[in-house]
């Protein structure tokens, strides 16, 4: 297994090209099922989770070809409607196959996603929303078995704001008879990107990006001629902007969207960074001290939970004490124990982390526990004295494309080596 070796202490300067958004690419790839034919997608990120999604589509009978800048997905034939355990356990987003398969095939058999490092993550809202459209489910042998005679539009209010829950119901509602109204829906930019993609297939969705979506069902959908470009990844961009901030450098992200990143940029400027932006780029520089701030993660347009770990790494070096409350997932402070190994002083009490800023962190061997925790430890390593070794890189590869090359391009000394190999 590979590990990453990071030599800290270099202020980072330069420009990073932003990848397509993982959390838009996954639902959009699976959504191709609702429109039989050949789809063309552009700006698809080269990630492990994308490859897992293509394997899932392959298992269902679809085929794909081309590279990620112009990916062709042929969904003319969907021979199976099962998302098996061996795929779902690797990537819980496979549960997104439920809605499209029910819409396309009238049945779906999807392995229940188990627990996850960051929380229990039930799918009750996915099932309740699809039941409102007329689907019936029974759970057996660790699988959700769903079937529907005819999808019918309905009014449904989510009990909690759920990103993939909203996406699953949306992908079924587009082919339901009549109108569906989804209230307390997720408004993440990635949900909006999925809605835009579905509208490009002929769907009639309005209100995407707000808490209330209205979907006029249609009888069929078909792939457009032109390629659909996946949205830029605001979380990847946010991570690199924090790399500039934590090293006292100046980093520009090309392809980043300042509007989608607004809550992150607000936090970074409150923490003492200078933020500038223009059409298709965002830049973050820091010359003065990092200021302590208080943050609470919320559904979009609140501060994204997927940037919480990265911000904790930054605030670990702030002047003063910061408070970070994680309100989305019940177990998303696993990076804290590893940051302690680097000399950070952070107290965790339930969903509140009290971050007592220190003047310097030290390189150490640390272990990744989940995708964004990996990013947090890399950021800490970039600012730390000496070298840091990050183990369990498979978490990182699920969500960050070409990370060593991108960091190297802005002056970082980062390399991937096979575990057991030293310098
Ligand atoms: C999506 O996960 C993202 N994943 C996550 O990104 C992200 O952290 C999360 O949204 C929140 O923004 C993808 O888009 C593939 P939720 P999702 O359903 O949809 C509870 C990353 O790092 N809930 O919005 O699974 C749930 O337990 C990943 O890229 C229910 O109770 O998250 C959580 O507390 C990690 N019942 C809250 O809602 C349900 O049926 C929000 O979860 C569904 C969710």
């Amino acid at each position: 297994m590979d590990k990453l070796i990071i030599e800290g202490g270099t202020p980072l300067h330069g420009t990073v090209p932003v990848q397509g958004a993982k959390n838009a690419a996954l639902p959009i790839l699976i959504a191709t099922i609702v429109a039989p034919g050949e789809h063309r997608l552009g700006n698809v990120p080269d990630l492990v989770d994308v490859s897992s999604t293509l394997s899932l589509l392959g298992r269902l009978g679809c085929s794909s070809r081309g590279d990620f800048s112009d990916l062709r997905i042929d969904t003319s034939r969907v021979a199976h409607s099962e998302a098996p355990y061996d795929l779902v356990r690797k990537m819980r987003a496979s549960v997104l196959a439920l809605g499209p398969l029910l819409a396309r095939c009238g049945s779906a058999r999807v392995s229940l996603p188990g627990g996850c490092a960051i929380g229990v993550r039930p799918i009750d809202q996915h099932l309740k929303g699809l039941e409102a459209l007329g689907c019936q489910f029974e759970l057996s042998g660790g699988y959700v078995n769903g079937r529907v005679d005819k999808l019918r539009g309905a009014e449904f209010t989510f009990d909690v704001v759920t990103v993939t829950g909203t996406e699953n119901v949306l992908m079924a509602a587009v082919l339901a008879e009549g109108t569906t109204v989804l209230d307390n829906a997720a408004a993440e930019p990635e949900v909006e990107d999925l809605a835009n993609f579905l509208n490009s297939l002929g769907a009639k969705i309005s209100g995407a990006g707000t808490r209330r979506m209205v979907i006029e069902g249609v009888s069929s959908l078909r792939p457009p001629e032109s390629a659909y470009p996946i949205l830029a990844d605001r979380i990847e961009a946010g991570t690199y902007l924090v790399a500039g901030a934590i090293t006292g450098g100046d980093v520009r992200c090309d392809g980043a969207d300042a509007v989608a990143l607004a809550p992150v940029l607000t936090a970074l400027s409150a923490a003492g960074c200078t933020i500038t932006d223009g059409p298709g780029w965002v830049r973050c520089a820091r010359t003065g001290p990092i200021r302590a701030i208080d943050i609470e993660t919320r559904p979009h347009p609140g501060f994204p939970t997927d940037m919480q770990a990265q911000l904790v790494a930054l605030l670990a070096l702030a002047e003063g004490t910061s408070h970070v409350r994680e309100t989305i997932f019940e177990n998303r402070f696993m990076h804290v124990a590893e940051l302690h190994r680097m000399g950070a002083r952070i107290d965790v009490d339930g969903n509140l982390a009290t971050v007592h800023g220190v003047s310097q962190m030290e390189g150490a061997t640390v272990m990744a526990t989940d995708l964004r925790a990996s990013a947090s430890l890399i950021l800490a390593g970039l600012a730390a004295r000496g070298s840091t070794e990050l183990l369990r890189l498979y978490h990182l590869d699920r969500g960050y494309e070409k990370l060593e090359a991108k960091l190297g391009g802005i002056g970082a000394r980062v390399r991937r080596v096979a575990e057991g190999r030293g310098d």
Side-chain angles (χ1 to χ4, degrees):
M1 222 189 308
D2 289 359
K3 62 185 177 184
L4 212 59
I5 299 186
I6 305 142
E7 304 301 338
T10 309
L12 302 183
H13 291 268
T15 300
V16 173
V18 175
Q19 69 187 37
K22 169 180 82 77
N23 292 345
L26 304 186
I28 287 174
L29 283 165
I30 297 175
T32 58
I33 291 171
V34 300
E38 181 166 271
H39 295 257
R40 289 182 60 195
L41 298 176
N43 199 31
V44 177
D46 181 0
L47 302 170
V48 169
D49 277 9
V50 166
S51 307
S52 302
T53 307
L54 293 177
S55 314
L56 171 61
L57 289 170
R59 292 282 191 94
L60 300 175
C62 309
S63 62
S64 54
R65 61 188 175 87
D67 63 28
F68 289 139
S69 63
D70 185 4
L71 191 61
R72 313 292 177 107
I73 313 269
D74 191 338
T75 59
S76 311
R77 184 174 155 274
V78 172
H80 310 285
S81 58
E82 175 171 327
Y85 175 68
D86 67 316
L87 273 176
V88 177
R89 76 179 169 77
K90 276 195 229 123
M91 183 190 68
R92 53 178 307 109
S94 310
V95 73
L96 282 165
L98 262 179
L101 285 173
L102 284 160
R104 173 77 183 259
C105 314
S107 69
R109 178 174 159 75
V110 172
S111 170
L112 258 179
C116 158
I118 65 176
V120 179
R121 303 181 74 177
I123 61 164
D124 58 303
Q125 297 298 304
H126 299 234
L127 303 183
K128 273 178 87 174
L130 291 167
E131 277 164 352
L133 302 183
C135 302
Q136 293 164 319
F137 296 102
E138 50 103 13
L139 307 184
S140 72
Y143 277 77
V144 181
N145 297 292
R147 51 175 297 287
V148 63
D149 297 331
K150 187 154 192 47
L151 288 166
R152 295 190 192 290
E155 302 219 354
F156 179 74
T157 302
F158 291 95
D159 302 326
V160 293
V161 175
T162 159
V163 172
T164 51
T166 300
E167 294 169 341
N168 233 332
V169 180
L170 181 64
M171 291 188 280
V174 289
L175 287 170
E177 188 175 282
T179 304
T180 297
V181 179
L182 298 180
D183 268 312
N184 202 29
E188 270 65 10
E190 295 77 24
V191 174
E192 215 175 327
D193 202 33
L194 172 64
N196 293 341
F197 171 70
L198 291 167
N199 280 344
S200 78
L201 308 179
K204 296 187 175 145
I205 304 165
S206 54
T210 74
R211 289 271 173 268
R212 183 182 173 88
M213 272 197 270
V214 177
I215 305 106
E216 300 293 335
V218 296
S219 55
S220 68
L221 297 166
R222 47 181 290 123
E225 297 302 311
S226 56
Y228 185 88
I230 304 284
L231 174 84
D233 196 319
R234 64 193 166 109
I235 306 298
E236 189 217 21
T239 303
Y240 286 107
L241 295 176
V242 175
I246 203 169
T247 59
D250 181 347
V251 169
R252 169 178 156 146
C253 286
D254 270 3
D257 170 14
V259 176
L261 274 164
V264 175
L265 303 181
T266 306
L268 287 173
S269 48
C273 301
T274 306
I275 301 293
T276 48
D277 68 271
W281 62 271
V282 177
R283 183 173 174 179
C284 174
R286 183 180 63 82
T287 48
I290 301 170
R291 289 200 291 266
I293 60 171
D294 293 347
I295 280 283
E296 181 167 298
T297 63
R298 308 287 309 164
H300 191 82
F303 187 87
T305 173
D306 293 348
M307 280 298 299
Q308 177 259 97
Q310 298 92 316
L311 203 82
V312 166
L314 177 71
L315 298 176
L317 292 166
E319 287 188 349
T321 299
S322 308
H323 301 90
V324 177
R325 190 176 294 281
E326 173 57 59
T327 72
I328 307 291
F329 292 110
E330 60 275 19
N331 186 34
R332 204 169 201 181
F333 284 130
M334 304 256 269
H335 42 286
V336 169
E338 298 300 308
L339 289 171
H340 282 163
R341 294 175 45 72
M342 302 178 74
R345 289 184 47 233
I346 306 169
D347 303 324
V348 173
D349 177 12
N351 71 351
L352 179 67
T354 303
V355 187
H356 308 284
V358 296
S359 57
Q360 177 75 67
M361 283 197 269
E362 303 293 332
T365 300
V366 289
M367 183 101 72
T369 49
D370 61 79
L371 170 58
R372 307 305 171 182
S374 320
S376 169
L377 299 173
I378 291 170
L379 293 169
L382 289 168
R385 191 169 26 223
S387 87
T388 293
E389 285 196 0
L390 176 66
L391 307 181
R392 295 196 180 164
L393 282 190
Y394 53 86
H395 289 292
L396 184 77
D397 295 335
R398 299 189 48 198
Y400 290 89
E401 176 187 82
K402 304 188 186 74
L403 178 124
E404 298 98 279
K406 290 188 179 183
L407 282 176
I410 54 178
R413 293 169 295 153
V414 177
R415 65 192 187 286
R416 181 181 293 240
V417 296
E419 207 161 330
R421 289 274 318 278
D423 291 346

